[in-house]
Amino acid sequence: AQKVTQAQTEISVVEKEDVTLDCVYETRDTTYYLFWYKQPPSGELVFLIRRNSFDEQNEISGRYSWNFQKSTSSFNFTITASQVVDSAVYFCALSEAWGPYNTDKLIFGTGTRLQVFP
Amino acid sequence: KAGVTQTPRYLIKTRGQQVTLSCSPISGHRSVSWYQQTPGQGLQFLFEYFSETQRNKGNFPGRFSGRQFSNSRSEMNVSTLELGDSALYLCASSLGQPTDTQYFGPGTRLTVL
């Protein structure tokens, strides 16, 4: 069965600290995609990154970086030098490439609320 | 390019009523998915439409239904509202291939009294 686990419910840090958000997933498929979304207080889910199961290269985008490890079924997200504007709920999600209906369907984790204090 | 738009942004209804939510996808996107977000259940997939056909449906009662028009705009309907239907309803659009990135709208916050 597909499942995404974000064990950290809430994390609080002070500005400029580095913070890592954990994501562990379960799937029986060999081809799948992983996503991170950010949900600020306004409610809209903002797409951050998409990674397919064949690409284990880490990715860095400015202060954001992602570490994908198939061996541990993890796709962790690190924010370097956090800022107050990073305060939001972050969701990890899984999509299987060849599900029974061959459709878009995201399985979300429960989210991690990040609070960055000045 | 304009993003996904949802109307209305806020709704207050009473139990037993019905409601229709609207979603306009990003231009060129043919797939529209709907998700319900509640504090207790988190983000749950409702259904997905592609080229006016429902391709997939989540585990929700038949009171939840939807449709998609030829211009890819989608509507979601909830009949006989219950208190538990209070939620943020998010719409997402994508090009329509499996695992294409889904881009979300701002959501419609529905409150059922």
Side-chain angles (χ1 to χ4, degrees), chain A residues 59-72:
Chain A
E59 178 149 344
I60 297 175
S61 176
R63 296 185 297 106
Y64 295 171
S65 63
W66 290 270
N67 181 265
F68 176 29
Q69 291 193 337
K70 285 179 74 170
S71 60
T72 56

Side-chain angles (χ1 to χ4, degrees), chain B residues 19-38:
Chain B
V19 66
T20 299
L21 313 181
S22 180
C23 172
S24 292
I26 292 171
S27 178
H29 284 191
R30 296 170 63 191
S31 169
V32 172
S33 298
W34 289 89
Y35 294 82
Q36 181 197 63
Q37 185 177 24
T38 60

Side-chain angles (χ1 to χ4, degrees), chain A residues 26-89:
Chain A
E26 294 176 32
T27 178
R28 286 177 291 189
D29 272 16
T30 56
T31 303
Y32 52 89
Y33 287 74
L34 296 164
F35 302 80
W36 275 95
Y37 286 88
K38 171 183 179 180
Q39 187 175 43
S42 59
E44 181 174 348
L45 282 170
V46 178
F47 166 73
L48 295 177
I49 190 171
R50 170 175 177 255
R51 173 71 55 179
N52 75 57
S53 52
F54 298 108
D55 183 0
E56 286 194 72
Q57 280 191 339
N58 292 334
E59 178 149 344
I60 297 175
S61 176
R63 296 185 297 106
Y64 295 171
S65 63
W66 290 270
N67 181 265
F68 176 29
Q69 291 193 337
K70 285 179 74 170
S71 60
T72 56
S73 296
S74 65
F75 186 41
N76 297 336
F77 172 32
T78 297
I79 302 175
T80 303
S82 59
Q83 299 176 1
V84 173
V85 294
D86 296 326
S87 297
V89 182

Side-chain angles (χ1 to χ4, degrees), chain B residues 11-105:
Chain B
L11 263 178
I12 299 177
K13 292 284 187 180
T14 56
R15 276 183 302 175
Q17 287 186 309
Q18 76 163 19
V19 66
T20 299
L21 313 181
S22 180
C23 172
S24 292
I26 292 171
S27 178
H29 284 191
R30 296 170 63 191
S31 169
V32 172
S33 298
W34 289 89
Y35 294 82
Q36 181 197 63
Q37 185 177 24
T38 60
Q41 299 299 317
L43 277 155
Q44 292 186 290
F45 172 78
L46 278 157
F47 30 63
E48 186 230 356
Y49 287 86
F50 179 81
S51 291
E52 303 178 67
T53 300
Q54 187 182 87
R55 278 204 302 198
N56 199 359
K57 189 176 188 303
N59 190 25
F60 278 82
R63 300 184 297 106
F64 291 83
S65 63
R67 60 178 173 168
Q68 187 180 34
F69 302 94
S70 58
N71 61 358
S72 294
R73 189 178 71 86
S74 176
E75 287 183 347
M76 187 191 110
N77 184 276
V78 187
S79 63
T80 319
L81 283 166
E82 300 178 359
L83 294 178
D85 296 333
S86 294
L88 179 66
Y89 290 89
L90 291 160
C91 162
S93 77
S94 77
L95 291 170
Q97 293 301 313
T99 67
D100 276 336
T101 298
Q102 292 184 42
Y103 296 91
F104 285 80

